[in-house]
Amino acid sequence: MPPKIARYLATADLPSPCLVVDVDIVEHNFGELADAVPEARIFYAVKANPADEIVDRLAKRGACFDTASMGEIELCLAHRISPDRISFGNTIKKERDIAAAYELGVRMFAYDSIEELEKIARSAPGSKVYCRVLMECEGAEWPLSRKFGCEPDMAVDLLVRAKEMGLDAYGVSFHVGSQQTDLTQYDRALELSVSLFRRLAERGVTLRLVNMGGGFPSRYRADVPSIPAYGAAIREALLRHFGDNQPDVILEPGRGVVGDAGVIQSEVVLVSSKGGDDDRRWVYLDAGKFHGLAETMDEAIKYRLLTPHEGDETVPVVLAGPTCDSADILYEKTDYRLPATLAAGDKVWILSTGAYTTTYSAVSFNGFPPLAAVCI
Ligand SMILES: *Cc1c(COP(=O)(O)O)cnc(C)c1O
């Protein structure tokens, strides 16, 4: 538990559950990554946590911002972040949103298909574009899978097409998968990137950018490499593959900047058992899959837990949220143990929950407005 958060929780009167973020840790994490890869421009992935205080602090610290919707772009502009520090990094955009972003001064866009490229060429003429390539995301605890990116052969054609359409074919992007702890993945991705640079050069297109996305970790139950270790792996791979012709480098951390800066304080609603052969206790918290802990889906992200009974004998538990949806179980297969003395009304602190918690529980995830409804 970060000390400043512990001190705050000891006296604050908060609703439950509640996320508390130490913005100093956010700034520290950003600075650590900036120091680890000094040649990179760092675009904070706003979706990880768009809290005003976080965006403000990072803006003051010199960050740029990766956005996915008009909501996120308008949020950044409201914080007086100039549009040349904003990229529209979603490969799936409405054409009217591309036009609106362009109107507001945004000049950098991601794409991974000819259909999207045509929209950008029409509605954001002359802009910088980068093409996202598919990655396997092996080793990532929260893979971003096949939804984003195209095959490398297609990326070559799409970047040639971008130039033909009068856009600035700036470079390539990839994302190695979120919570990526296999550092060799960046090397594989950069090897692929340099091969794309070569193939494009042969076709008369000089790329300049490698956008390496995010993937930097938070500290959940398993150990993770340090940020300096990520930096060293990335810089060695850049040197190995690009030599004297270093590209512009962009990093887009989300989780690695805000995850460890937050703690959710929750409360035990019920401790019970079901009878039968499984003698595990069921512990129901007031925070569940629909209240911030969506990344426990498939038990992918395994948060560390703290209770007021540290040191007491522990027993195996199934951990669940409070709602009447049977999917609202946090950990059933993963081995979790909690103190035998834990009872209804006790606090449970869920550590490293600064990323992808408020956003997933918000009605406007990633800056997209909530579902409208009419009754007739
Ligand atoms: C979500 C996202 C990120 C942030 O990923 P982390 O693993 O949280 O660092 C970066 N870039 C893009 C395009 C994303 O969609």
Side-chain angles (χ1 to χ4, degrees):
M1 167 91 72
K4 190 170 142 200
I5 295 180
R7 282 198 302 278
Y8 178 80
L9 286 174
T11 56
D13 184 18
L14 299 170
S16 186
C18 184
L19 170 70
V20 178
V21 176
D22 179 350
V23 188
D24 293 338
I25 299 179
V26 173
E27 182 173 353
H28 167 87
N29 292 345
F30 179 87
E32 193 178 31
L33 187 59
D35 290 346
V37 193
E39 47 281 272
R41 281 177 86 199
I42 302 186
F43 284 64
Y44 171 61
V46 175
K47 74 171 182 286
N49 192 326
D52 288 332
E53 295 83 351
I54 292 173
V55 171
D56 254 343
R57 186 70 75 91
L58 291 173
K60 288 206 183 76
R61 189 68 178 66
C64 299
F65 295 84
D66 173 56
T67 62
S69 64
M70 283 313 292
E72 289 186 347
I73 289 171
E74 281 158 4
L75 172 86
C76 289
L77 294 174
H79 285 271
R80 306 192 157 282
I81 293 157
S82 69
D84 61 352
R85 288 165 70 189
I86 298 172
S87 75
F88 203 163
N90 192 345
T91 52
I92 306 152
K93 301 175 285 301
K94 289 178 180 164
E95 185 160 347
R96 61 179 177 278
D97 288 349
I98 296 171
Y102 183 80
E103 190 65 30
L104 292 167
V106 175
R107 291 291 181 273
M108 186 148 66
F109 298 85
Y111 72 107
D112 62 5
S113 66
I114 185 68
E115 293 80 1
E116 188 75 10
L117 186 63
E118 283 165 354
K119 292 187 216 166
I120 300 170
R122 276 192 301 264
S123 294
S127 291
K128 285 190 166 79
V129 292
Y130 56 87
C131 185
R132 183 151 168 184
V133 287
L134 267 173
M135 293 297 300
E136 290 297 331
C137 299
E138 263 166 62
E141 278 172 39
W142 192 258
L144 298 167
S145 79
R146 293 189 57 81
K147 179 167 174 186
F148 309 104
C150 62
E151 293 291 344
D153 288 347
M154 187 165 161
V156 172
D157 290 334
L158 287 179
L159 284 158
V160 171
R161 293 288 292 134
K163 186 179 174 186
E164 289 169 358
M165 291 179 181
L167 292 161
D168 178 359
Y170 190 21
V172 296
S173 78
F174 56 81
H175 194 302
V176 292
S178 202
Q179 188 74 6
Q180 176 57 266
T181 52
D182 174 3
L183 300 187
T184 65
Q185 295 295 321
Y186 291 95
D187 187 82
R188 283 185 44 185
L190 285 170
E191 184 177 16
L192 174 63
S193 302
V194 82
S195 76
L196 292 172
F197 271 54
R198 274 196 217 104
R199 291 172 65 186
L200 266 303
E202 284 162 14
R203 301 198 35 194
V205 181
T206 310
L207 301 183
R208 285 119 58 219
L209 171 77
V210 178
N211 178 337
M212 305 176 62
F216 307 97
S218 291
R219 277 193 58 228
Y220 304 121
R221 296 213 311 190
D223 280 341
V224 294
S226 69
I227 290 302
Y230 279 82
I234 286 170
R235 299 185 79 196
E236 279 163 26
L238 277 168
L239 201 60
R240 179 159 49 250
H241 297 297
F242 285 90
D244 291 337
N245 290 311
Q246 289 293 308
D248 296 348
V249 174
I250 285 178
L251 303 179
E252 295 175 334
R255 187 186 306 279
V257 171
V258 290
D260 289 344
V263 173
I264 289 178
Q265 174 166 273
S266 69
E267 182 183 317
V268 178
V269 181
L270 174 72
V271 181
S272 65
S273 59
K274 305 258 178 226
D277 293 340
D278 190 347
D279 58 359
R280 284 185 299 177
R281 286 185 193 197
W282 282 68
V283 174
Y284 301 89
L285 301 178
D286 60 2
K289 272 213 164 64
F290 307 104
H291 301 90
L293 304 175
E295 288 198 315
T296 58
M297 214 184 291
D298 298 329
E299 309 193 17
I301 296 293
K302 298 176 176 65
Y303 293 109
R304 289 174 293 145
L305 306 176
L306 269 182
T307 73
H309 306 285
E310 288 312 298
D312 290 4
E313 182 209 348
T314 61
V315 292
V317 298
V318 176
L319 208 64
T323 65
C324 295
D325 189 315
S326 60
D328 193 9
I329 294 177
L330 305 175
Y331 303 113
E332 191 174 20
K333 301 186 191 76
T334 314
D335 178 37
Y336 266 85
R337 302 179 69 91
L338 285 171
T341 43
L342 191 73
D346 282 343
K347 302 253 190 302
V348 171
W349 295 287
I350 310 164
L351 305 186
S352 295
T353 40
Y356 303 118
T357 48
T358 54
T359 44
Y360 278 143
S361 99
V363 289
S364 58
F365 174 49
N366 226 169
F368 292 100
L371 179 64
V374 286
C375 298
I376 55 169

